Amino acid sequence: INLFFVSCLMDELPDEILPIVAGYLPPVNAIQLNNTCKNLHSKLSLTATCPRQILTKFSRQDRDNDVHYGFQIPVPHQVSCHSMLLSMIWRDHGWGYRKGKVFVVAEKKNHLYGRSGERFGGGSVAYTSGIALHEEQRLDITFQPKGNETYHLWYVVGHGGGHSLRLSNVKVQALVFDDPSRCFGKAYNFLTRTDSLRAWDQKSGTIDHIDIEQFVLTRGEHLLPPLISFADDENVSEANLQRKLMGFVQSLQESWTEEYSVYAKIMAEAPPQRGFGGQELHQLNNMQVDDFLEDRMDFGEFVVPED
């Protein structure tokens, strides 16, 4: 199909319909639609955040065939999210029968779910992995979140002596519908590159409270230039865009604080055999790290040629 013809048809759709159409597409196809022409690029404003590490390692030794709760997968709530990529290096205990699996489970917001008893706490399974191998492998899980749901990783270790499930370098990446100035993506990537959104298991027991304005001023070299890339086209003042950027930085810091508090609570309540950390994980050297596309780029910053 001629892309120019498709772009002309899509361009005729009302602005509020375009994200709905893109929501039915897999991430790669949605990005291709976003980059068809400048007008669609501005209307959809799809942006991929930097991959962000949430756990350095996660080891479990529940030697049974039951499903157990792992952790909540952080999905941005500040903007509408098209897709989430949860990636990790995983393996089992390294010998004998292979039984380990992971699941992504969706839960309705404002609804109480159990973490034991009823299978998956009553949530609905959005993804089921294959069985973990004895050797370390990369596992990529892509799902399209709904605004009224939260998402959680559950797992099975498997019955038998010595069985374990070992995850390392657990990361998340989001593909979001940003605004034309890409303020959310810039704020998220800024905090990721300044190591302000640390892995939960690398954080000390105290929460850092920072002066957001001073922090941005002193670490501003990590912002993706130019900050006001669309100011002239959108008739938005630099001051307004700066306030919007700072608002996202503040909100993302607050979200991370909440994430860490939830993680710390899970860690405190977990039985000893399910504690975070555990046995030392083998480290992979030179493991290829891919994101939504093989050619890593910031999706919202693609150059769109002149029509």
Side-chain angles (χ1 to χ4, degrees):
I1 300 176
N2 186 284
L3 288 179
F4 177 76
F5 177 70
V6 172
S7 67
C8 290
L9 290 177
M10 296 296 293
D11 200 29
E12 295 298 322
L13 293 175
D15 290 356
E16 62 272 16
I17 299 298
L18 283 172
I20 297 174
V21 174
Y24 284 98
L25 301 175
V28 172
N29 297 124
I31 292 162
Q32 290 173 340
L33 175 63
N34 181 80
N35 294 327
T36 303
C37 68
K38 285 185 175 181
N39 206 21
L40 286 176
H41 186 266
S42 178
K43 287 182 176 181
L44 283 174
S45 299
L46 277 172
T47 301
T49 63
C50 289
R52 171 192 153 207
Q53 187 179 58
I54 58 173
L55 286 169
T56 61
K57 58 184 178 180
F58 179 93
S59 181
R60 290 294 186 266
Q61 300 179 41
D62 306 80
R63 295 167 186 174
D64 54 43
N65 293 320
D66 295 335
V67 292
H68 297 276
Y69 184 79
F71 52 84
Q72 183 168 340
I73 303 167
V75 177
H77 64 84
Q78 292 84 358
V79 292
S80 180
C81 186
H82 178 279
S83 301
M84 287 296 300
L85 173 63
L86 175 68
S87 65
M88 65 194 74
I89 306 302
W90 75 322
R91 55 165 291 190
D92 67 4
H93 43 285
W95 54 271
Y97 291 110
R98 298 187 296 112
K99 301 178 181 179
K101 300 176 74 173
V102 296
F103 311 84
V104 173
V105 176
E107 298 180 357
K108 297 293 183 183
K109 291 181 179 178
N110 303 319
H111 184 87
L112 294 178
Y113 290 85
R115 298 297 178 230
S116 60
E118 188 177 0
R119 190 171 175 84
F120 299 114
S124 58
V125 178
Y127 169 87
T128 302
S129 75
I131 300 176
L133 300 178
H134 294 328
E135 303 81 22
E136 289 176 320
Q137 299 285 333
R138 180 181 168 99
L139 175 65
D140 288 332
I141 302 171
T142 302
F143 62 95
Q144 293 182 275
K146 298 178 181 178
N148 64 338
E149 293 180 338
T150 59
Y151 295 85
H152 308 259
L153 184 130
W154 289 65
Y155 66 92
V156 167
V157 172
H159 179 73
H163 282 260
S164 65
L165 184 65
R166 310 175 186 186
L167 315 181
S168 65
N169 197 23
V170 182
K171 293 184 177 183
V172 292
Q173 186 185 17
L175 182 64
V176 302
F177 295 101
D178 212 337
D179 63 86
S181 59
R182 304 300 197 273
C183 279
F184 175 81
K186 287 181 171 68
Y188 190 104
N189 295 343
F190 166 66
L191 290 172
T192 301
R193 288 167 175 162
T194 54
D195 198 29
S196 302
L197 306 177
R198 299 181 196 169
W200 303 325
D201 55 343
Q202 286 190 323
K203 182 70 179 67
S204 63
T206 59
I207 298 295
D208 295 330
H209 296 280
I210 64 174
D211 184 318
I212 297 297
E213 288 194 23
Q214 185 62 32
F215 182 74
V216 172
L217 286 174
T218 56
R219 306 297 294 275
E221 71 275 6
H222 291 271
L223 284 170
L224 294 176
L227 173 61
I228 313 300
S229 57
F230 289 85
D232 294 336
D233 293 338
E234 297 298 317
N235 295 317
V236 179
S237 70
E238 182 171 343
N240 285 339
L241 285 177
Q242 182 75 10
R243 282 193 292 271
K244 190 172 186 179
L245 176 76
M246 301 288 277
F248 279 135
V249 171
Q250 179 74 50
S251 180
L252 286 165
Q253 278 280 347
E254 292 171 354
S255 293
W256 183 92
T257 299
E258 182 178 350
E259 292 169 17
Y260 174 74
S261 298
V262 171
Y263 155 78
K265 185 174 185 291
I266 294 171
M267 182 176 64
E269 295 176 350
Q273 71 272 18
R274 292 181 55 202
F276 284 77
Q279 299 182 22
E280 193 69 26
L281 296 176
H282 296 285
Q283 300 298 319
L284 277 186
N285 294 322
N286 302 319
M287 170 65 71
Q288 178 67 37
V289 178
D290 297 327
D291 303 310
F292 285 111
L293 295 178
E294 292 181 2
D295 183 15
R296 168 70 180 126
M297 295 182 73
D298 293 317
F299 303 130
E301 305 300 329
F302 274 28
V303 175
V304 180
E306 297 286 345
D307 293 335

